[in-house]
């Protein structure tokens, strides 16, 4: 997806993870888990990241689950470890393992390794994690896979690290064996640089980021609460971008009352088109396509969006609550950037209208939250439904709260209270949201607004939103219409489900055509005037077709600057 749209909701997996579990609340000592990671980077087929995990006295019975790892996660392949690629031993010697598949979920299927006999003493698990090999034809997607770049490894644990089935929490000690790594190498985890001791559940090992090798860092030495890491020299100034994000992190964390946690940003280069990122536990990784020459300006809001995921969250099924996790990230990435004076008013206005256009031109905007969730993991366009819907609903709710309180209260009060309840381990789901909004604008109005949003009703900006600085105006939009199944752009690249009468059909695209080349579909989707160009192979012949992938105009809105209002009146 484009810069601020491919931010896949890792909250679907990691929102409930405790970044630091309070060991003092347990009645018995927590079991230890020693994790050692050893890089072996050659740039060839024999590259791997060695993983050694020692579980203290798990005392498993025969048939019990020991480790688990998804085979794929939202379409991203993992290391798998077929056959005997993952081994275990205890005080009695090798522990024979069996493999099975857990019941499938919308996100993917997990493989489970179970012990065939009871274990005695500590259990040591070993495996070699191979980096994923990618090309210019690889699909852009969530940044879960382990990759090798410039002699370093970068990836999320869920892409390569089989994790204990016993949920923990564990007293984790992570160490890096850099004896075979290039001089100047470092190891970094979402939870800290170098060796780290912390208390975490098993899931946190999966849904966090790892980097090791000759990584570059800003600041150059570990200090404070922020770190930015990269392997290859990017086309943008990494120090400039890091300084901006560090400042914004300080502002965001202060807004949510979080003055002690840390944050880490990882960057890696993609050989394929597209820029995007994925947020995990107090960390974020983004990928960029160097030939596109992204700038610090173009990346700033992408990272701000992912950073905002660190705080607001909502209990419940992802399909029911994605509007909140993504909507708040969209809302506060922009609002807090403006309040921190990190972006210009022109950038604010341009971003508001880009987000509005993306919502109004989304062909799935009329689906209910559950209906959109059914398509979420199979269609990247459906993945963006919660972004625009949630953001515009929050814009509407903020305007209503400000109007009801004569400007004394705002959305900020509701979101921060829900976050306070989350950190206090109190309920913080949809019922609590409706309770808090009802206090501000009344139960009937709160329920009607929520139901309209959740059912897929058209979200229209209230006249008072961003007034007097900006004015909402009608702007008919043309929905994006590729003309055939979006899955046709996956690895097989074969056209299927061609829509009769569509622009693609009229241009000469046919079912069964092999897509040899295609321009950046996500860039095309963000610009109503841009055509899509396909080089197709049909039998022994090739042809190139171009068309405007748009449907009939629908109702839409944008904002314009009110020339009578001074910049000091612009409060977001």
């Amino acid at each position: 997806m484009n810069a601020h749209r491919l931010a896949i909701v890792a909250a679907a997996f990691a929102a409930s993870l405790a970044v630091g579990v309070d060991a003092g609340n347990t009645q018995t000592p927590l079991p230890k888990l020693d994790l050692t990671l050893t890089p072996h980077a050659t740039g060839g087929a024999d590259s791997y990241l060695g993983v050694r995990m020692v579980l203290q006295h798990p005392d498993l019975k025969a048939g019990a689950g020991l480790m688990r790892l998804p085979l794929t996660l939202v379409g991203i392949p993992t290391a798998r470890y077929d056959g005997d690629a993952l081994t275990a031993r205890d005080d009695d010697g090798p522990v024979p393992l069996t493999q099975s598949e857990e019941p499938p979920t919308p996100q993917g299927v997990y493989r489970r390794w179970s012990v065939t006999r009871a274990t005695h003493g500590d259990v040591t698990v070993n495996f070699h994690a191979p980096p994923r090999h990618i090309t210019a034809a690889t699909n852009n997607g969530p940044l879960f896979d382990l990759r090798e770049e410039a002699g370093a490894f970068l990836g999320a644990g869920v892409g390569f690290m089989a994790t204990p089935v016993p949920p923990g929490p564990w007293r984790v000690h992570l160490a890096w064996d850099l004896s075979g790594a290039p001089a100047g190498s470092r190891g970094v985890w979402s939870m800290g640089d170098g060796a780290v001791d912390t208390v975490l559940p098993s899931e946190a090992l999966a849904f966090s980021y790892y980097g090791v090798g000759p990584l570059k860092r800003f600041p150059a030495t570990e200090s404070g609460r922020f770190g930015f890491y990269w392997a290859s020299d990017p086309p943008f100034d990494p120090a400039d971008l890091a300084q901006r994000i560090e400042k914004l992190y300080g502002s965001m964390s202060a807004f949510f009352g979080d003055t002690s946690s840390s944050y880490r940003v990882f960057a890696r280069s993609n050989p394929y088109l597209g820029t995007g990122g994925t947020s995990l536990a107090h960390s974020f990784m983004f990928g960029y396509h160097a030939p596109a020459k992204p700038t610090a300006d173009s990346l700033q809001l992408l990272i701000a969006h992912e950073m905002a995921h660190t705080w607001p969250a909502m209990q419940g099924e992802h399909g029911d609550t994605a509007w909140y996790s993504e909507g708040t990230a969209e809302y506060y990435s922009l609002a807090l950037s403006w309040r921190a004076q990190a972006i210009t008013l022109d950038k604010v206005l341009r971003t508001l209208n880009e987000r509005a256009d993306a919502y109004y031109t989304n062909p799935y905007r009329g689906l209910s939250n559950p209906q959109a969730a059914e398509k979420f993991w199979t269609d990247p366009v459906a993945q963006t439904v919660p972004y625009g819907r949630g953001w515009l609903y929050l814009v509407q709710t903020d305007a209503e709260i400000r109007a009801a309180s004569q400007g004394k209260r705002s959305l900020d009060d509701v979101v921060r209270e829900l976050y306070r309840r989350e950190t206090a381990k109190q309920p913080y789901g949809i019922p609590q949201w409706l309770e808090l909004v009802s206090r501000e604008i009344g139960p009937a109005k709160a329920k009607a607004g929520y139901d309209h949003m959740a059912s897929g009703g058209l979200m229209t900006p209230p006249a008072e939103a961003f007034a007097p600085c900006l004015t909402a105006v009608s702007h008919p939009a043309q929905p994006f219409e590729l003309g055939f199944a979006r899955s046709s752009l996956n690895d097989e690249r074969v056209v299927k489900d061609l829509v009769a009468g569509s622009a693609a059909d009229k241009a000469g695209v046919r079912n069964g055509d092999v897509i040899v080349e295609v321009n950046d579909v996500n860039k095309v989707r963000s610009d109503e005037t841009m055509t899509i160009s396909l080089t197709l192979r049909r039998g022994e012949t090739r042809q190139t077709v171009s068309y405007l992938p748009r449907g009939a105009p629908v109702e839409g809105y944008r904002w314009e600057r009110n020339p009578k209002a001074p910049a000091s009146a612009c409060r977001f």
Side-chain angles (χ1 to χ4, degrees):
M1 306 287 304
N2 64 4
H4 62 286
R5 292 280 162 193
L6 174 68
I8 301 299
V9 190
F13 311 107
S16 62
L17 295 184
V19 174
V21 178
D22 185 359
N25 289 337
T26 59
Q27 299 299 315
T28 58
L30 297 176
K32 292 193 301 181
L33 188 154
D34 290 333
L35 174 62
T36 303
L37 300 178
T38 306
H40 181 76
T42 66
D46 57 343
S47 281
Y48 66 85
L49 180 60
V51 182
R52 180 177 183 270
M53 196 176 295
V54 182
L55 286 63
Q56 182 185 32
H57 287 269
D59 298 327
L60 301 174
K61 296 180 180 179
L66 173 63
M67 309 295 286
R68 66 194 296 262
L69 176 76
L71 299 176
T72 62
L73 191 65
V74 291
I76 304 300
T78 70
R80 295 181 59 96
Y81 307 120
D82 296 322
D84 60 355
L86 184 150
T87 62
R89 63 183 303 118
D90 63 1
D91 288 354
D92 294 341
V95 179
L97 303 173
T98 60
Q99 296 178 13
S100 60
E101 292 185 1
E102 299 178 3
T105 71
Q107 293 81 38
V109 176
Y110 274 76
R111 170 173 285 171
R112 177 177 290 223
W113 289 263
S114 301
V115 298
T116 59
R117 63 167 174 79
T119 64
H120 300 97
D122 294 350
V123 173
T124 300
V125 177
N126 282 285
F127 49 92
H128 287 174
R132 181 188 181 195
H133 295 291
I134 54 174
T135 68
T138 301
N139 284 319
N140 202 358
L143 283 77
F144 293 142
D145 49 344
L146 181 69
R147 297 186 192 174
E148 183 181 2
E149 179 182 339
F153 293 105
L154 291 161
V158 74
F160 72 92
M161 185 177 292
T163 55
V165 171
W170 302 85
R171 287 185 291 141
V172 176
H173 173 74
L174 178 139
W176 302 91
D177 180 355
L178 303 178
S179 57
S185 290
R186 70 175 87 234
V188 187
W189 185 24
S190 291
M191 310 307 172
D193 290 41
V196 177
D197 290 282
T198 187
V199 177
L200 291 172
S202 296
E203 282 260 284
L205 296 172
F207 293 103
S208 52
Y209 283 114
Y210 301 80
V212 61
L215 296 172
K216 299 166 187 178
R217 185 189 198 282
F218 180 90
T221 57
E222 184 178 8
S223 61
R225 302 162 53 203
F226 179 84
F228 186 103
Y229 309 85
W230 66 98
S232 302
D233 289 331
F236 53 87
D237 182 346
D240 175 38
L241 179 60
Q243 286 176 314
R244 298 188 195 193
I245 301 304
E246 182 178 26
K247 177 182 176 181
L248 185 57
Y249 178 73
S251 177
M252 280 188 169
S253 59
F255 174 81
F256 288 103
D258 176 8
T259 58
S260 60
S261 66
S262 60
Y263 198 83
R264 287 169 176 80
V265 176
F266 301 84
R268 69 186 190 190
S269 177
N270 297 326
Y272 47 79
L273 291 172
T275 298
T278 308
S279 175
L280 293 179
H282 278 248
S283 56
F284 166 58
M285 182 176 287
F286 72 92
Y288 61 89
H289 185 55
K293 298 182 179 179
T295 64
D297 284 339
S298 69
L299 294 167
Q300 184 170 327
L301 282 177
L302 167 70
I303 299 178
H305 173 103
E306 295 305 325
M307 192 180 294
H309 273 307
T310 304
W311 298 281
M314 182 174 279
Q315 282 177 314
E317 290 294 325
H318 176 250
D320 296 328
T321 63
W323 67 266
Y324 185 80
S325 58
E326 295 301 345
T328 53
E330 290 283 79
Y331 187 93
Y332 284 106
S333 62
L334 191 59
L336 296 179
S337 292
W338 169 251
R339 296 177 199 176
Q341 299 181 327
I343 55 174
T344 65
L345 182 56
D346 285 346
K347 177 73 170 178
V348 171
L349 180 57
R350 187 165 62 252
T351 303
L352 287 173
N353 287 333
E354 287 173 354
R355 292 177 178 177
D357 287 347
Y359 167 73
Y360 291 114
T361 62
N362 194 312
Y364 300 120
R365 74 177 190 186
L367 297 182
S368 67
N369 283 344
Q371 289 170 335
E374 290 178 2
K375 293 180 174 290
F376 193 88
W377 302 117
T378 59
D379 191 327
V381 178
Q383 291 168 3
T384 68
V385 169
Y387 290 68
R389 172 178 299 175
W391 164 66
L392 278 169
Y393 170 61
L394 295 176
V395 169
Q396 180 184 72
T397 303
D398 178 68
E400 292 172 341
I401 293 173
R402 290 178 188 269
S405 64
Q406 288 78 51
K408 296 178 182 178
R409 294 178 64 77
S410 70
L411 178 70
D412 296 353
D413 297 289
V414 174
V415 169
R416 285 194 285 202
E417 171 58 19
L418 204 63
Y419 177 65
R420 185 200 66 76
R421 294 187 183 192
E422 176 191 355
T423 56
K425 302 191 183 306
Q426 298 171 351
Y428 59 103
I430 292 173
Q432 289 70 42
W433 165 263
L434 290 173
E435 169 208 333
L436 293 171
V437 177
S438 294
R439 291 182 188 177
E440 304 289 346
I441 64 176
K445 199 169 188 178
K447 183 70 163 55
Y450 172 79
D451 287 346
H452 180 76
M453 178 275 296
S455 65
L458 181 68
M459 304 302 300
T460 58
E464 61 269 29
F466 310 133
C469 178
L470 306 178
T471 302
V473 296
S474 175
H475 179 78
Q478 288 185 279
F480 177 76
E481 188 178 273
L482 183 60
F484 51 86
R486 179 64 185 251
S487 59
S488 304
L489 299 177
N490 292 345
D491 293 339
E492 293 82 6
R493 300 239 170 168
V494 176
V495 174
K496 57 185 177 182
D497 299 333
L498 182 71
V499 178
S502 66
D505 182 23
K506 294 175 181 178
V509 180
R510 295 292 177 262
N511 283 321
D513 285 349
V514 177
I515 301 173
V516 179
E517 292 182 10
V518 58
N519 55 336
D520 191 340
V521 174
N522 297 297
K523 185 178 291 186
V524 173
R525 181 177 169 244
S526 66
D527 185 341
E528 291 186 10
T529 66
M530 186 177 290
T531 60
I532 189 167
S533 179
L534 300 170
T535 299
L536 305 172
R537 187 176 73 244
R538 188 180 304 160
E540 298 300 320
T541 65
R542 286 193 183 197
Q543 63 175 321
T544 298
V545 300
S546 297
Y547 61 94
L548 186 68
R550 296 287 161 179
V554 297
E555 184 179 1
Y557 297 86
R558 281 186 176 180
W559 278 273
E560 292 180 351
R561 180 79 168 87
N562 178 3
K564 297 180 180 180
S568 59
C570 298
R571 297 184 176 91
F572 305 106

